Amino acid sequence: VATGTGDLAIALARQTRYVVGVDVCEPMLEPAAKKVALARPKGQVRFMLADALALPFQDDSFDCVTVAFGVRIMTDLVAVFQEMRRVVRPGGRVVCLEIMRPRRSFLGICYEFYLTRVIPMMGGWVSRDPDAYRYLATSVMGFSSPEELRDLMQAAGFSSVTYHTLNFATIALHVGVR
C-alpha cells in the first residue's frame, strides 16, 4: 500500500513469489514499473492504481500487507488499517514502517531542529523545491508517536501489535497480526 515508485515492492519480490503494489498516485506507478524491469527480481511484481481505503481485493487475499513511509499522510488511519486487515488472511501480518515525531529529549530536540531547519534548507538547495522538504517536516511533526500508532492499529482490530524503533527512535516498524 502506498507503493510509490516501488522500492519496497521490488525488495519484497526478491524474497517471495508475488507482490502487488498499489498507490493512489498514478504518476508514481510508471517509474515503479520501469524499476522492476531493471531490477528483475525473482518474484513477480504487479502495480495497480488503488485507494488504501478501498483496496480492490477480496477478503483474506494476502499473507502480508506492507506500507512504508505512507501512512503519515493519510487522514483516517483506523479505516486504512481496517482495510489492510480485511485483505490479509487470518494469522497474516500488516507491517508499517514510518517516520515518527521526535520524542521530548535532548536527542529529540536535535532531530526536530535537523528535520525542520537543516533538511528543508539542504533539500531545497539541492532540489530547488524547499516546500517539498518543509512538507516532510510538517507531516512528521504532526504525526503520531510509536505508542499512538500502535493504539490506532489495535483500534483497527489487530489482535497483537508490536513495534520497534530504529535510527534513534526517528523511525518505527509496527507489526499487527490479524
mmCIF file of all heavy atoms in Angstrom, residues 5 14 17-18 25-27 29-30 42 58 74 76 78 83 94-95 108 123 140-141 150 153 155 167 171 173-174 178:
data_model
loop_
_atom_site.group_PDB
_atom_site.id
_atom_site.type_symbol
_atom_site.label_atom_id
_atom_site.label_comp_id
_atom_site.label_asym_id
_atom_site.label_seq_id
_atom_site.Cartn_x
_atom_site.Cartn_y
_atom_site.Cartn_z
ATOM 1 N N THR A 5 7.208 4.641 -5.903
ATOM 2 C CA THR A 5 7.988 4.222 -7.064
ATOM 3 C C THR A 5 8.483 2.784 -6.947
ATOM 4 O O THR A 5 9.356 2.372 -7.712
ATOM 5 C CB THR A 5 9.165 5.178 -7.320
ATOM 6 O OG1 THR A 5 10.006 5.194 -6.162
ATOM 7 C CG2 THR A 5 8.677 6.580 -7.633
ATOM 8 N N ARG A 14 12.196 -9.889 -4.184
ATOM 9 C CA ARG A 14 13.456 -10.655 -4.140
ATOM 10 C C ARG A 14 13.353 -11.810 -3.145
ATOM 11 O O ARG A 14 14.158 -12.725 -3.179
ATOM 12 C CB ARG A 14 14.613 -9.737 -3.764
ATOM 13 C CG ARG A 14 14.961 -8.739 -4.842
ATOM 14 C CD ARG A 14 16.215 -7.940 -4.510
ATOM 15 N NE ARG A 14 16.498 -7.010 -5.586
ATOM 16 C CZ ARG A 14 16.422 -5.696 -5.465
ATOM 17 N NH1 ARG A 14 16.112 -5.136 -4.314
ATOM 18 N NH2 ARG A 14 16.687 -4.924 -6.500
ATOM 19 N N ARG A 17 7.342 -14.908 -4.014
ATOM 20 C CA ARG A 17 6.919 -15.195 -5.389
ATOM 21 C C ARG A 17 6.120 -14.091 -6.049
ATOM 22 O O ARG A 17 6.177 -13.902 -7.255
ATOM 23 C CB ARG A 17 6.070 -16.474 -5.411
ATOM 24 C CG ARG A 17 6.793 -17.710 -5.016
ATOM 25 C CD ARG A 17 5.893 -18.928 -5.150
ATOM 26 N NE ARG A 17 4.501 -18.617 -4.900
ATOM 27 C CZ ARG A 17 3.774 -19.116 -3.901
ATOM 28 N NH1 ARG A 17 4.298 -19.966 -3.080
ATOM 29 N NH2 ARG A 17 2.515 -18.783 -3.751
ATOM 30 N N TYR A 18 5.290 -13.383 -5.267
ATOM 31 C CA TYR A 18 4.326 -12.482 -5.902
ATOM 32 C C TYR A 18 4.061 -11.280 -4.997
ATOM 33 O O TYR A 18 3.772 -11.440 -3.814
ATOM 34 C CB TYR A 18 3.026 -13.244 -6.157
ATOM 35 C CG TYR A 18 1.980 -12.456 -6.898
ATOM 36 C CD1 TYR A 18 2.169 -12.064 -8.216
ATOM 37 C CD2 TYR A 18 0.799 -12.104 -6.268
ATOM 38 C CE1 TYR A 18 1.210 -11.344 -8.901
ATOM 39 C CE2 TYR A 18 -0.178 -11.382 -6.948
ATOM 40 C CZ TYR A 18 0.036 -11.004 -8.255
ATOM 41 O OH TYR A 18 -0.912 -10.290 -8.933
ATOM 42 N N CYS A 25 -1.592 7.475 -6.432
ATOM 43 C CA CYS A 25 -0.964 8.465 -7.314
ATOM 44 C C CYS A 25 -0.419 7.776 -8.567
ATOM 45 O O CYS A 25 0.666 7.193 -8.556
ATOM 46 C CB CYS A 25 0.155 9.183 -6.561
ATOM 47 S SG CYS A 25 0.948 10.471 -7.524
ATOM 48 N N GLU A 26 -1.178 7.851 -9.639
ATOM 49 C CA GLU A 26 -0.814 7.152 -10.873
ATOM 50 C C GLU A 26 0.569 7.519 -11.415
ATOM 51 O O GLU A 26 1.304 6.633 -11.877
ATOM 52 C CB GLU A 26 -1.889 7.377 -11.942
ATOM 53 C CG GLU A 26 -1.728 6.480 -13.132
ATOM 54 C CD GLU A 26 -2.946 6.513 -14.050
ATOM 55 O OE1 GLU A 26 -3.758 7.462 -13.970
ATOM 56 O OE2 GLU A 26 -3.078 5.569 -14.841
ATOM 57 N N PRO A 27 1.003 8.795 -11.359
ATOM 58 C CA PRO A 27 2.338 9.119 -11.883
ATOM 59 C C PRO A 27 3.488 8.391 -11.163
ATOM 60 O O PRO A 27 4.583 8.283 -11.710
ATOM 61 C CB PRO A 27 2.446 10.634 -11.688
ATOM 62 C CG PRO A 27 1.037 11.114 -11.686
ATOM 63 C CD PRO A 27 0.248 10.009 -11.017
ATOM 64 N N LEU A 29 3.413 5.189 -10.426
ATOM 65 C CA LEU A 29 3.438 3.788 -10.853
ATOM 66 C C LEU A 29 4.265 3.549 -12.117
ATOM 67 O O LEU A 29 4.801 2.454 -12.302
ATOM 68 C CB LEU A 29 1.999 3.283 -11.033
ATOM 69 C CG LEU A 29 1.158 3.306 -9.753
ATOM 70 C CD1 LEU A 29 -0.265 2.869 -10.049
ATOM 71 C CD2 LEU A 29 1.782 2.458 -8.665
ATOM 72 N N GLU A 30 4.384 4.539 -12.976
ATOM 73 C CA GLU A 30 5.188 4.362 -14.191
ATOM 74 C C GLU A 30 6.670 4.149 -13.860
ATOM 75 O O GLU A 30 7.282 3.199 -14.347
ATOM 76 C CB GLU A 30 5.004 5.550 -15.136
ATOM 77 C CG GLU A 30 5.728 5.364 -16.456
ATOM 78 C CD GLU A 30 5.498 6.533 -17.397
ATOM 79 O OE1 GLU A 30 4.406 7.127 -17.372
ATOM 80 O OE2 GLU A 30 6.430 6.839 -18.160
ATOM 81 N N LYS A 42 13.309 -12.031 -8.492
ATOM 82 C CA LYS A 42 12.869 -13.413 -8.765
ATOM 83 C C LYS A 42 11.354 -13.548 -8.713
ATOM 84 O O LYS A 42 10.775 -14.340 -9.431
ATOM 85 C CB LYS A 42 13.539 -14.395 -7.814
ATOM 86 C CG LYS A 42 12.967 -14.429 -6.413
ATOM 87 C CD LYS A 42 13.609 -15.521 -5.576
ATOM 88 C CE LYS A 42 12.929 -15.605 -4.231
ATOM 89 N NZ LYS A 42 13.483 -16.622 -3.380
ATOM 90 N N GLN A 58 -10.238 -9.254 -2.691
ATOM 91 C CA GLN A 58 -11.169 -9.982 -1.839
ATOM 92 C C GLN A 58 -10.597 -10.090 -0.428
ATOM 93 O O GLN A 58 -9.397 -9.949 -0.215
ATOM 94 C CB GLN A 58 -11.413 -11.377 -2.403
ATOM 95 C CG GLN A 58 -12.120 -11.375 -3.725
ATOM 96 C CD GLN A 58 -12.349 -12.786 -4.249
ATOM 97 O OE1 GLN A 58 -12.009 -13.767 -3.619
ATOM 98 N NE2 GLN A 58 -12.954 -12.873 -5.420
ATOM 99 N N MET A 74 -1.966 9.965 5.398
ATOM 100 C CA MET A 74 -3.349 9.506 5.259
ATOM 101 C C MET A 74 -4.181 10.078 6.393
ATOM 102 O O MET A 74 -3.681 10.287 7.493
ATOM 103 C CB MET A 74 -3.394 7.977 5.246
ATOM 104 C CG MET A 74 -2.668 7.387 4.058
ATOM 105 S SD MET A 74 -2.713 5.586 4.082
ATOM 106 C CE MET A 74 -1.617 5.204 2.742
ATOM 107 N N ASP A 76 -7.476 8.966 7.712
ATOM 108 C CA ASP A 76 -8.220 8.086 8.621
ATOM 109 C C ASP A 76 -7.450 6.782 8.796
ATOM 110 O O ASP A 76 -7.731 5.784 8.127
ATOM 111 C CB ASP A 76 -9.624 7.829 8.068
ATOM 112 C CG ASP A 76 -10.518 7.095 9.054
ATOM 113 O OD1 ASP A 76 -10.017 6.547 10.067
ATOM 114 O OD2 ASP A 76 -11.742 7.057 8.809
ATOM 115 N N VAL A 78 -7.295 4.529 11.209
ATOM 116 C CA VAL A 78 -8.019 3.337 11.663
ATOM 117 C C VAL A 78 -8.701 2.679 10.471
ATOM 118 O O VAL A 78 -8.610 1.457 10.279
ATOM 119 C CB VAL A 78 -9.018 3.664 12.794
ATOM 120 C CG1 VAL A 78 -9.901 2.465 13.098
ATOM 121 C CG2 VAL A 78 -8.274 4.105 14.055
ATOM 122 N N GLU A 83 -8.886 -1.677 6.477
ATOM 123 C CA GLU A 83 -8.903 -2.159 5.101
ATOM 124 C C GLU A 83 -7.726 -3.104 4.843
ATOM 125 O O GLU A 83 -7.876 -4.137 4.190
ATOM 126 C CB GLU A 83 -8.896 -0.970 4.127
ATOM 127 C CG GLU A 83 -9.018 -1.342 2.681
ATOM 128 C CD GLU A 83 -10.338 -2.003 2.288
ATOM 129 O OE1 GLU A 83 -11.216 -2.235 3.140
ATOM 130 O OE2 GLU A 83 -10.490 -2.311 1.094
ATOM 131 N N VAL A 94 0.205 -7.203 9.061
ATOM 132 C CA VAL A 94 0.297 -5.895 8.432
ATOM 133 C C VAL A 94 1.522 -5.226 9.040
ATOM 134 O O VAL A 94 1.653 -5.142 10.263
ATOM 135 C CB VAL A 94 -0.982 -5.063 8.663
ATOM 136 C CG1 VAL A 94 -0.769 -3.622 8.245
ATOM 137 C CG2 VAL A 94 -2.143 -5.670 7.881
ATOM 138 N N VAL A 95 2.422 -4.797 8.164
ATOM 139 C CA VAL A 95 3.692 -4.220 8.598
ATOM 140 C C VAL A 95 3.744 -2.772 8.144
ATOM 141 O O VAL A 95 3.519 -2.469 6.967
ATOM 142 C CB VAL A 95 4.883 -5.005 8.005
ATOM 143 C CG1 VAL A 95 6.206 -4.391 8.444
ATOM 144 C CG2 VAL A 95 4.806 -6.476 8.397
ATOM 145 N N GLY A 108 15.872 14.219 20.742
ATOM 146 C CA GLY A 108 14.658 14.586 20.014
ATOM 147 C C GLY A 108 14.654 16.036 19.584
ATOM 148 O O GLY A 108 14.217 16.376 18.480
ATOM 149 N N GLY A 123 17.692 20.249 1.334
ATOM 150 C CA GLY A 123 16.855 19.664 0.297
ATOM 151 C C GLY A 123 16.409 20.698 -0.715
ATOM 152 O O GLY A 123 16.379 20.438 -1.918
ATOM 153 N N VAL A 140 5.768 14.951 9.502
ATOM 154 C CA VAL A 140 6.352 14.173 10.600
ATOM 155 C C VAL A 140 5.987 14.795 11.941
ATOM 156 O O VAL A 140 5.586 14.096 12.879
ATOM 157 C CB VAL A 140 7.885 14.059 10.442
ATOM 158 C CG1 VAL A 140 8.510 13.438 11.688
ATOM 159 C CG2 VAL A 140 8.233 13.247 9.208
ATOM 160 N N MET A 141 6.117 16.107 12.060
ATOM 161 C CA MET A 141 5.844 16.769 13.345
ATOM 162 C C MET A 141 4.376 16.643 13.747
ATOM 163 O O MET A 141 4.053 16.639 14.920
ATOM 164 C CB MET A 141 6.257 18.244 13.282
ATOM 165 C CG MET A 141 7.750 18.445 13.106
ATOM 166 S SD MET A 141 8.762 17.620 14.362
ATOM 167 C CE MET A 141 8.264 18.518 15.817
ATOM 168 N N ARG A 150 0.577 2.358 17.462
ATOM 169 C CA ARG A 150 0.213 1.020 17.954
ATOM 170 C C ARG A 150 -1.256 0.996 18.369
ATOM 171 O O ARG A 150 -2.003 0.079 18.017
ATOM 172 C CB ARG A 150 1.096 0.636 19.139
ATOM 173 C CG ARG A 150 0.725 -0.715 19.759
ATOM 174 C CD ARG A 150 1.179 -0.855 21.192
ATOM 175 N NE ARG A 150 0.621 0.213 21.995
ATOM 176 C CZ ARG A 150 1.249 0.782 23.019
ATOM 177 N NH1 ARG A 150 2.451 0.397 23.380
ATOM 178 N NH2 ARG A 150 0.664 1.747 23.712
ATOM 179 N N MET A 153 -3.579 0.910 15.385
ATOM 180 C CA MET A 153 -3.636 -0.424 14.774
ATOM 181 C C MET A 153 -4.487 -1.364 15.622
ATOM 182 O O MET A 153 -5.267 -2.160 15.092
ATOM 183 C CB MET A 153 -2.220 -0.979 14.572
ATOM 184 C CG MET A 153 -1.446 -0.249 13.482
ATOM 185 S SD MET A 153 0.230 -0.896 13.233
ATOM 186 C CE MET A 153 -0.145 -2.417 12.338
ATOM 187 N N ALA A 155 -6.968 -0.421 17.504
ATOM 188 C CA ALA A 155 -8.347 0.025 17.295
ATOM 189 C C ALA A 155 -8.906 -0.507 15.976
ATOM 190 O O ALA A 155 -10.125 -0.669 15.839
ATOM 191 C CB ALA A 155 -8.422 1.552 17.324
ATOM 192 N N ASN A 167 16.890 3.894 14.285
ATOM 193 C CA ASN A 167 17.509 5.177 13.972
ATOM 194 C C ASN A 167 17.242 6.222 15.053
ATOM 195 O O ASN A 167 16.708 7.292 14.783
ATOM 196 C CB ASN A 167 17.034 5.655 12.595
ATOM 197 C CG ASN A 167 17.920 6.726 12.010
ATOM 198 O OD1 ASN A 167 19.125 6.693 12.209
ATOM 199 N ND2 ASN A 167 17.326 7.657 11.289
ATOM 200 N N ILE A 171 12.325 6.420 13.498
ATOM 201 C CA ILE A 171 11.557 5.544 12.618
ATOM 202 C C ILE A 171 11.021 4.405 13.478
ATOM 203 O O ILE A 171 11.673 3.973 14.423
ATOM 204 C CB ILE A 171 12.447 5.006 11.476
ATOM 205 C CG1 ILE A 171 12.895 6.173 10.581
ATOM 206 C CG2 ILE A 171 11.727 3.942 10.661
ATOM 207 C CD1 ILE A 171 13.865 5.793 9.505
ATOM 208 N N LEU A 173 8.933 0.508 13.253
ATOM 209 C CA LEU A 173 8.417 -0.625 12.488
ATOM 210 C C LEU A 173 7.343 -1.297 13.333
ATOM 211 O O LEU A 173 7.651 -1.844 14.397
ATOM 212 C CB LEU A 173 9.539 -1.611 12.168
ATOM 213 C CG LEU A 173 9.115 -2.855 11.398
ATOM 214 C CD1 LEU A 173 8.708 -2.475 9.978
ATOM 215 C CD2 LEU A 173 10.252 -3.860 11.370
ATOM 216 N N HIS A 174 6.096 -1.210 12.893
ATOM 217 C CA HIS A 174 4.956 -1.799 13.600
ATOM 218 C C HIS A 174 4.501 -3.046 12.855
ATOM 219 O O HIS A 174 4.457 -3.058 11.617
ATOM 220 C CB HIS A 174 3.786 -0.820 13.646
ATOM 221 C CG HIS A 174 3.982 0.310 14.598
ATOM 222 N ND1 HIS A 174 4.845 1.333 14.360
ATOM 223 C CD2 HIS A 174 3.397 0.569 15.804
ATOM 224 C CE1 HIS A 174 4.798 2.199 15.379
ATOM 225 N NE2 HIS A 174 3.930 1.756 16.263
ATOM 226 N N ARG A 178 -3.355 -10.340 12.357
ATOM 227 C CA ARG A 178 -4.807 -10.493 12.253
ATOM 228 C C ARG A 178 -5.228 -11.772 12.945
ATOM 229 O O ARG A 178 -4.691 -12.818 12.762
ATOM 230 C CB ARG A 178 -5.236 -10.542 10.796
ATOM 231 C CG ARG A 178 -6.719 -10.818 10.688
ATOM 232 C CD ARG A 178 -7.276 -10.596 9.344
ATOM 233 N NE ARG A 178 -8.673 -10.979 9.420
ATOM 234 C CZ ARG A 178 -9.335 -11.557 8.448
ATOM 235 N NH1 ARG A 178 -8.751 -11.764 7.308
ATOM 236 N NH2 ARG A 178 -10.581 -11.887 8.602
#
